[in-house]
Amino acid sequence: MKLDRIDVKILHVLQQNGRMTNVELSEVVNLSPSPCLMRVKKLQSEGYIEGYSAQINVAKLGQTLTVFTEVTLKNHRQTDFARFLAAVEKIDQLIECHVVSGGYDYLLKLVTTGIGEYQEIMERLVELDVGIDKYFSFVVLKSPIVKGHLPLTNLFRP
């Protein structure tokens, strides 16, 4: 499926407000409701829209600790990467895991109840012997900018 400008605009608008009605969406993207709905259904069936979710204000639920962790593995064979990933994907507190270039192999983002829980997670990973050579932790003090959407209309200009 080749996306056009209107498809990208639909995706851009829906990622900011997935609860918007089809009529509201059609007005924003300058389509009549029926063709707009057909496009949304096509975007869903083609996998461009994977689902809809609620954005939760976690601070209202209680205190959390966010930690970014740089992880370097001892070895760099496919089996080493697979063993590490198999272990970390089981950690509920792991929110993101990125393979990166530079001085380390992975950048992890964990959200825990506090430093104690984070320390237990990392100690358990080291004890599991999943190939970690070293890791560095960066505790988030404040997050002044957090965006829940990508600038799709700037990134993709069909």
Side-chain angles (χ1 to χ4, degrees):
M1 175 180 177
K2 180 93 168 115
L3 299 185
D4 64 14
R5 179 184 51 78
I6 295 171
D7 292 324
V8 173
K9 177 94 181 213
I10 288 170
L11 294 172
H12 180 75
V13 171
L14 283 178
Q15 75 172 343
Q16 292 177 330
N17 183 2
R19 294 186 65 175
M20 180 179 281
T21 68
N22 181 60
V23 172
E24 293 169 330
L25 178 62
S26 68
E27 290 171 3
V28 173
V29 300
N30 296 316
L31 281 179
S32 58
S34 183
C36 183
L37 183 59
M38 287 175 33
R39 283 177 180 253
V40 170
K41 289 186 181 296
K42 183 78 169 162
L43 290 165
Q44 290 171 338
S45 69
E46 293 289 327
Y48 289 96
I49 298 173
E50 294 181 336
Y52 299 88
S53 63
Q55 295 177 352
I56 308 300
N57 183 345
V58 178
K60 284 197 168 276
L61 297 172
Q63 282 194 321
T64 61
L65 179 75
T66 301
V67 183
F68 286 93
T69 306
E70 298 174 352
V71 176
T72 303
L73 299 183
K74 294 175 189 169
N75 298 302
H76 295 93
R77 299 175 303 234
Q78 284 301 100
T79 55
D80 300 308
F81 290 117
R83 187 175 61 197
F84 175 77
L85 286 175
V88 298
E89 71 184 358
K90 295 175 186 166
I91 301 170
D92 288 337
Q93 297 86 340
L94 179 70
I95 306 305
E96 296 176 13
C97 176
H98 305 275
V99 177
V100 295
S101 63
Y104 52 98
D105 300 313
Y106 290 95
L107 178 64
L108 310 180
K109 179 181 180 182
L110 295 103
V111 178
T112 67
T113 57
I115 198 71
E117 183 182 35
Y118 171 75
Q119 186 175 352
E120 287 173 17
I121 291 167
M122 294 311 297
E123 286 173 357
R124 203 172 7 191
L125 268 179
V126 170
E127 287 172 11
L128 284 173
D129 195 27
V130 293
I132 296 175
D133 181 35
K134 59 186 174 187
Y135 68 91
F136 295 96
S137 307
F138 301 90
V139 174
V140 174
L141 302 176
K142 192 179 199 178
S143 298
I145 299 172
V146 177
K147 295 182 180 180
H149 62 278
L150 297 173
L152 295 180
T153 54
N154 293 332
L155 294 172
F156 305 99
R157 299 174 194 244

